[in-house]
Amino acid sequence: MYKGIYITMTGMSMRENELSSISNNLANINTTGYKKQSFASRLYPLLSGKPSQSNVIYQDARAQTYFGTQYIDTSQGALKQTHNPFDIGIQGEGFFVVRQGNKILYTREGSFTRDKDNYLVTQTGLRVLDENNNPIIIDGTKIEYGKDGTILVDGNPIGRIKLVKLNNLRHVGQSLYEGVEAGQANGQILQGWIENSNVNPMSEMVQMIQAIRNFDFTQRVTTNFSELAQRAVSEIARI
């Protein structure tokens, strides 16, 4: 019975994580370049003679549940034209590379600008990097981006913006991500465009309603287990 309480309590934790993911998605509907996060868990039966997995909730069960994990949906968000020459959107795969202190991060948020030192930066001041991981300096009046990421200032090529594929993607805040670079991406650069969030608000609201229902059900089951456990202890004490 106590094992049952443990399992249902773990289930509640998983439902809380699911609700947290949905809430975060809804909060970032209007965040440029944001990618939807989803929560996944999996129940599977144990086959005879098959060893149990190390990352499951209850090792001795006939069916085991993986702890829920989050994954990121990297599908294309809608592109919006801004006519701002500093803005660039990615059509297809790839992430821009930016520097935060000594840390390399990645983003699809291409609403760039130029700081007081003429560095190309994000709206939060992170420097955008070229294919050699150097910050990009825009020392001129007219900036142009080629579809392959080539940058021209006043008609002169100064380098190429870095666009990479990523593995093990992890969200670290708004439109910023960590990951393992997996080579050059094949996406195309579109000047004067930005990419909207790929979150579908109606779909997220439906999922939130279902997640709340699941959470309430799990909470009721946990309460029932707790009451049964208390009754069992009382009955044993009488013997």
Side-chain angles (χ1 to χ4, degrees):
M1 186 174 298
Y2 289 107
K3 290 176 180 177
I5 295 173
Y6 169 71
I7 293 171
T8 53
M9 288 295 290
T10 305
M12 285 184 63
S13 178
M14 292 169 63
R15 294 307 178 191
E16 287 174 351
N17 289 338
E18 182 179 20
L19 282 168
S20 178
S21 292
I22 296 171
S23 297
N24 193 48
N25 289 338
L26 289 171
N28 284 282
I29 288 173
N30 296 317
T31 301
T32 305
Y34 177 81
K35 295 301 177 185
K36 172 184 172 181
Q37 297 180 83
S38 296
F39 182 85
S41 58
R42 184 155 64 94
L43 180 73
Y44 66 94
L46 289 180
L47 301 177
S48 176
K50 178 182 176 181
S52 63
Q53 302 294 319
S54 60
N55 58 340
V56 295
I57 295 172
Y58 176 40
Q59 293 287 336
D60 300 325
R62 292 181 181 273
Q64 293 183 340
T65 305
Y66 280 109
F67 283 107
T69 57
Q70 290 184 340
Y71 64 92
I72 296 171
D73 177 1
T74 59
S75 62
Q76 180 83 47
L79 291 165
K80 175 184 176 182
Q81 192 168 20
T82 66
H83 301 290
N84 184 336
F86 279 92
D87 288 346
I88 47 177
I90 303 172
Q91 187 172 51
E93 68 176 5
F95 285 79
F96 301 118
V97 184
V98 297
R99 187 182 299 279
Q100 184 182 65
N102 294 323
K103 183 181 292 186
I104 297 293
L105 297 175
Y106 307 91
T107 186
R108 296 270 297 198
E109 200 277 306
S111 183
F112 298 147
T113 186
R114 179 168 50 178
D115 69 10
K116 62 182 179 62
D117 298 314
N118 290 329
Y119 285 104
L120 187 66
V121 296
T122 67
Q123 291 296 318
T124 57
L126 304 184
R127 291 179 178 176
V128 184
L129 304 184
D130 66 14
E131 56 188 350
N132 297 314
N133 279 351
N134 295 318
I136 299 167
I137 298 176
I138 309 299
D139 189 9
T141 57
K142 183 180 179 182
I143 182 172
E144 297 174 89
Y145 301 102
K147 289 187 176 181
D148 65 348
T150 300
I151 306 170
L152 289 85
V153 177
D154 295 336
N156 301 310
I158 64 165
R160 187 164 69 167
I161 198 164
K162 189 172 185 179
L163 196 64
V164 298
K165 294 184 288 187
L166 293 175
N167 292 328
N168 302 325
L169 197 62
R170 188 171 72 87
H171 184 240
V172 294
Q174 292 193 322
S175 294
L176 292 173
Y177 299 88
E178 290 181 337
V180 178
E181 293 187 17
Q184 182 177 337
N186 294 320
Q188 288 189 331
I189 297 295
L190 301 180
Q191 184 173 15
W193 295 74
I194 56 173
E195 182 185 10
N196 291 333
S197 163
N198 68 350
V199 175
N200 182 319
M202 291 301 296
S203 175
E204 293 301 308
M205 289 300 298
V206 170
Q207 291 184 51
M208 173 166 278
I209 293 169
Q210 186 60 52
I212 291 172
R213 288 174 178 169
N214 291 338
F215 180 83
D216 288 343
F217 174 77
T218 305
Q219 193 172 40
R220 290 197 299 272
V221 171
T222 303
T223 300
N224 290 339
F225 266 119
S226 180
E227 291 174 352
L228 286 171
Q230 291 176 5
R231 287 172 57 186
V233 169
S234 298
E235 293 295 329
I236 292 172
R238 294 176 185 174
I239 299 174

